[in-house]
Amino acid sequence: MATQGATLRSKQELIEKMSKPEVITGSEILLRSLVLEGVECVFGYPGGAVLYIYDAMHGFDDFHHILTRHEQGAIHAADGYARASGNVGVCIATSGPGATNLVTGIATAYMDSVPLVVITGNVVQSAIGTDAFQEADIVGITMPITKHSYLVRNVDDLPRIIHEAFHIANTGRKGPVLIDIPKDVSAAKTLFKPATGEVSMRGYNPTVAPKKQQVDKMLKAIEEAERPVILAGGGVVYSGAHEELLEFATKTGIPVVTTLLGLGGFPSGNDLWVGMPGMHGAYTSNKAIQGSDLLINIGARFDDRVTMKLDGFAPNAKIVHIDIDPAEIGKNVPTDIPIVGDVKTVLEVANAEAKPAAKAAAWREQLTALKAEFPLTYVDSNTELKPQWVIEMLHETTNGDAIVTTDVGQHQMWAAQYYKFNKPRSFVTSGGLGTMGFGFPSAIGAQMANPDRVVVSINGDGGMQMCAQELAICAINNIPVKVAIINNQVLGMVRQWQEIIYDNRYSHIDLAGSPDFVKLAEAYGVKGFRASNKEEAREAWEAALRHPGPAVVEFVVRKGENVYPMVTQGNTIDDMILGDAE
C-alpha cells in the first residue's frame, strides 16, 4: 500500500508540476500537455523544424522518447503501442521528408481505426507556401487519411488543440489526428494555461448509446433465427467489449467468427468460436456465414477480404450491423437492422434482455461437426521446415499468451490461422492497408506498452528488410522483442497468386541477395539464431525466449508453400481452394 500511495502521490505531483502556470515556449507547452494527457512514451526523429521541441526535451524525463532509425519506424511503433495498450500512440517528425515519411503509417492507422496523435514540424509561417527548404503541405497531403488535422497558427491555441486531438483520436471511431506546428509557434512564448476537463466540439458528437428499439429488433430476430452467426471485428477489441461479447454469445448460444482484426476479441478456445472468415478463412467459418439466416456484424466493416464477391455474400441472411460509425452501415452490405453505437454499450444493453436462440441447437451441432471434419490442415514434413508448424510451435512455447505482431503476407495469414488468440490486444497486424514493414516496429511499440509480456514479431524475409534498421533501438534500449523471420526466399503471397491465378508466370518475386539475418542481427548487437529443421527450430526458439534481451530467429522454410484455404477474387467465400490436403 505504501508503494501504491507513493505512486499516486508522484502522479499527482507530476500533474501539479506540469500544470504550473508559467511563461514558457510552445515546445515546452507541447511536452507538458502530452504528460497531462497521460503520455508515457513517444517515438520520433528530429530535424530542423522540430529542433525547438527537441531542445525542450533536453533533460526532460517525464516521458520516454524512443529515437527510431526512420520516421516510418516511429509511426508503426506508435501504432503498435496504441493497439497493444488501448492508449493513444504518439510520434514526432520534422517537416518535409520527415512528415511525408509518416504518410504510410498514418494511412495504416486510419484504415484500422487506431488512435494516434501525429506531431509534425513545419517551416515558419512566413515561409509557408514559398516552397521553402523541407516544406510540404502535410495537412493537405494527409487530409484523406486523418480523422482530423490542425495547423497551429497561435501558440496560445496549443493546449486546447492537444487536448482536443487526444479526445478526437480516442473517441467514436478511433483514428489518427495530425498536429502540424510551424517552427515560429514552437519557439514563441506565452503564459501556459493547461486545457483540462470535458471536450465539447460543435459537429463532433459520436453516438455511444444505441436506440433501444433497434436492439429489441435484433433480440427479436435472434428468437426467430435458426442459423444465426456473429461476425466480430476489430471494434470489439477497440471498445474493450470482449467480456460483453462473451456474455452475449453465451446467453444466446450463437456461434462466433472473428475477422483478422477481431482475433482475440473472442476466445479461440471457446466452443462457440468457429474461426476466421474470408479469403483465407477457415472452411467452417465461410460455410457458416453463407448458410446463416441471421448475420450479426459487431464492429466489423464488411471488408472485401471478408466478403469477397458481394453478390452472393450471406445470401439468405438478415443482416444486423452494429458500428459506432454510421457511415459504415449499409456501405458494402445492405443492412436490415442498423444499430449505431459503441459496441461495448450496445452489448451491455442487449445482454440485459438477451435470451437463447431457441431454434439454433441443430445449427450449432452442424457447425461443430463441420469444424471437426474440416480443420485447418497442412502436409507436414520431416525433411523441410513448414511455416505452419513454426507458428504452432511459437504458440505452444508461449502458451498462447504472447502479444504477436506480424508483417503482411503469407506469414500473416499463417499466424492468424495457427496461433490461437484468447485475449484481446494480443494480435497486432496491418489489416486494411496491408503495410509491409509494419510488423517489426509495431512489436517495439507493443513491447514498450507491455514490458512484462512476451512480444513476438512474426515477419517475412521481404517485410523484415523494410524496417530492419529498428534493430538498433532494440539493442540500445534492451527492448526484448523476439523476432521470428519466416524466410522462404521469395515474396510468398505474390508468388502464390502468380502460381494460382497467373498460370505460374513468376515475375520479380525472387528475394535472392537478402542478407544473412543472423549476421544482420549481430551487426546491430542483437542475438541471432537460424533453423532449417524442426529440431533446430525448437532449440533456437527456446534459446531466444530464454535470452533476456532482443533476439532474432531465422526459420528457413519451404519456398513453395501456399496459404489455404483460399478464395480467389470474383468468387463467393464458400468457393474455396482447400489446397494440398484437400
Side-chain angles (χ1 to χ4, degrees):
M1 290 298 294
T3 303
Q4 183 181 11
T7 301
L8 291 173
R9 283 196 302 275
S10 64
K11 285 185 177 180
Q12 185 59 38
E13 288 168 358
L14 180 61
I15 291 171
E16 290 175 0
K17 175 180 142 185
M18 292 294 107
S19 302
K20 185 179 180 182
E22 289 182 274
V23 175
I24 55 177
T25 66
S27 298
E28 293 169 304
I29 288 172
L30 171 64
L31 302 189
R32 287 194 184 189
S33 297
L34 291 178
V35 173
L36 291 173
E37 294 296 336
V39 173
E40 297 179 344
C41 187
V42 173
F43 305 88
Y45 203 99
V50 290
L51 281 186
Y52 285 116
I53 296 171
Y54 275 84
D55 183 55
M57 282 190 207
H58 183 73
F60 186 89
D61 57 3
D62 291 314
F63 60 67
H64 195 58
H65 179 278
I66 296 289
L67 172 63
T68 60
R69 295 302 182 262
H70 194 286
E71 291 88 355
Q72 189 163 327
I75 193 162
H76 290 333
D79 185 313
Y81 184 96
R83 296 192 203 219
S85 68
N87 299 321
V88 178
V90 181
C91 64
I92 301 177
T94 192
S95 63
T100 58
N101 279 343
L102 298 175
V103 171
T104 297
I106 295 172
T108 300
Y110 183 77
M111 287 283 279
D112 288 352
S113 304
V114 179
L116 298 183
V117 169
V118 181
I119 299 161
T120 55
N122 208 334
V123 299
V124 296
Q125 292 184 75
S126 60
I128 291 178
T130 68
D131 294 329
F133 178 68
Q134 290 193 333
E135 182 194 358
D137 179 12
I138 195 62
V139 171
I141 290 168
T142 61
M143 193 167 291
I145 53 171
T146 50
K147 192 175 176 186
H148 194 65
S149 297
Y150 293 94
L151 173 60
V152 186
R153 295 285 192 177
N154 190 320
V155 68
D156 292 325
D157 294 332
L158 255 179
R160 171 187 59 80
I161 286 173
I162 295 165
H163 194 46
E164 287 180 359
F166 277 81
H167 173 74
I168 294 169
N170 210 27
T171 55
R173 179 176 180 174
K174 303 174 192 290
V177 177
L178 178 81
I179 305 175
D180 195 34
I181 307 175
K183 194 171 183 178
D184 54 317
V185 173
S186 63
K189 290 188 175 184
T190 192
L191 178 65
F192 175 49
K193 298 176 182 178
T196 58
E198 295 294 320
V199 174
S200 178
M201 300 179 67
R202 188 176 65 181
Y204 181 68
N205 294 291
T207 300
V208 174
K211 291 182 179 179
K212 180 65 164 54
Q213 62 266 35
Q214 296 301 100
V215 177
D216 290 341
K217 289 180 182 178
M218 175 181 69
L219 296 177
K220 180 65 174 176
I222 291 171
E223 289 180 22
E224 298 171 351
E226 296 181 0
R227 301 182 308 280
V229 172
I230 292 169
L231 173 65
V236 172
V237 176
Y238 298 154
S239 67
H242 52 284
E243 292 180 354
E244 287 76 13
L245 174 59
L246 179 59
E247 180 183 350
F248 182 69
T250 302
K251 282 185 172 181
T252 60
I254 300 177
V256 178
V257 299
T258 45
T259 68
L260 181 71
L261 295 183
L263 291 172
F266 190 82
S268 63
N270 191 287
D271 289 341
L272 288 170
W273 186 69
V274 180
M276 182 182 75
M279 175 179 278
H280 293 294
Y283 180 89
T284 308
S285 302
N286 287 349
K287 288 292 186 180
I289 288 175
Q290 293 301 85
S292 66
D293 63 359
L294 176 66
L295 182 61
I296 304 173
N297 180 330
I298 305 178
R301 58 185 181 86
F302 284 126
D303 177 78
D304 61 290
R305 288 296 175 95
V306 169
T307 64
M308 299 306 290
K309 184 181 179 182
L310 278 170
D311 182 15
F313 175 76
N316 301 309
K318 177 180 285 188
I319 304 293
V320 178
H321 194 168
I322 303 170
D323 205 295
I324 199 164
D325 184 358
E328 287 297 339
I329 296 178
K331 185 178 80 174
N332 295 328
V333 174
T335 301
D336 299 290
I337 304 176
I339 303 177
V340 179
D342 174 70
V343 166
K344 185 181 178 74
T345 305
V346 173
L347 290 178
E348 287 173 346
V349 174
N351 284 334
E353 300 179 16
K355 298 176 182 178
K359 300 179 182 180
W363 173 241
R364 287 193 297 272
E365 291 178 6
Q366 180 183 339
L367 293 182
T368 299
L370 206 59
K371 190 175 178 182
E373 184 179 357
F374 293 96
L376 288 169
T377 187
Y378 62 96
V379 179
D380 202 0
S381 172
N382 290 320
T383 57
E384 294 179 298
L385 194 57
K386 289 296 188 84
Q388 303 95 324
W389 182 90
V390 172
I391 303 301
E392 289 179 324
M393 187 267 295
L394 299 184
H395 177 270
E396 175 196 339
T397 52
T398 59
N399 298 312
D401 291 331
I403 295 174
V404 174
T405 78
T406 79
D407 213 87
V408 171
Q410 287 182 313
H411 70 275
Q412 177 190 32
M413 294 298 102
W414 285 317
Q417 291 176 336
Y418 290 97
Y419 197 102
K420 304 304 180 185
F421 298 94
N422 287 310
K423 298 177 182 177
R425 301 195 180 279
S426 292
F427 187 51
V428 174
T429 195
S430 173
L433 198 65
T435 303
M436 289 182 69
F438 172 86
F440 174 46
S442 69
I444 294 171
Q447 187 75 82
M448 293 299 296
N450 298 272
D452 298 326
R453 288 186 66 182
V454 174
V455 175
V456 177
S457 177
I458 303 175
N459 300 270
D461 47 320
M464 185 63 195
Q465 294 182 71
M466 293 189 174
C467 280
Q469 67 275 2
E470 305 307 339
L471 283 166
I473 64 175
C474 283
I476 292 168
N477 297 281
N478 196 34
I479 302 171
V481 172
K482 311 303 179 186
V483 181
I485 301 174
I486 308 298
N487 186 357
N488 57 6
Q489 305 96 49
V490 70
L491 288 172
M493 191 61 86
V494 180
R495 186 208 57 75
Q496 178 169 336
W497 280 46
Q498 289 177 348
E499 174 189 328
I500 295 172
I501 303 172
Y502 296 91
D503 297 326
N504 296 299
R505 292 190 296 275
Y506 300 118
S507 178
H508 302 286
I509 54 170
D510 188 355
L511 290 179
S514 295
D516 180 322
F517 287 105
V518 173
K519 289 182 179 179
L520 180 67
E522 291 172 345
Y524 280 107
V526 173
K527 195 77 172 174
F529 305 87
R530 180 181 295 107
S532 57
N533 60 50
K534 288 181 177 180
E535 183 180 356
E536 291 175 353
R538 189 175 290 278
E539 182 179 327
W541 181 249
E542 289 179 349
L545 289 176
R546 289 193 302 270
H547 181 63
V552 171
V553 182
E554 178 187 4
F555 297 99
V556 181
V557 300
R558 179 176 181 265
K559 187 173 185 177
E561 196 72 11
N562 288 335
V563 180
Y564 294 115
M566 180 181 181
V567 180
T568 55
Q569 289 183 323
N571 292 308
T572 55
I573 58 171
D574 54 349
D575 186 8
M576 290 169 274
I577 303 170
L578 297 185
D580 299 331
E582 186 171 8

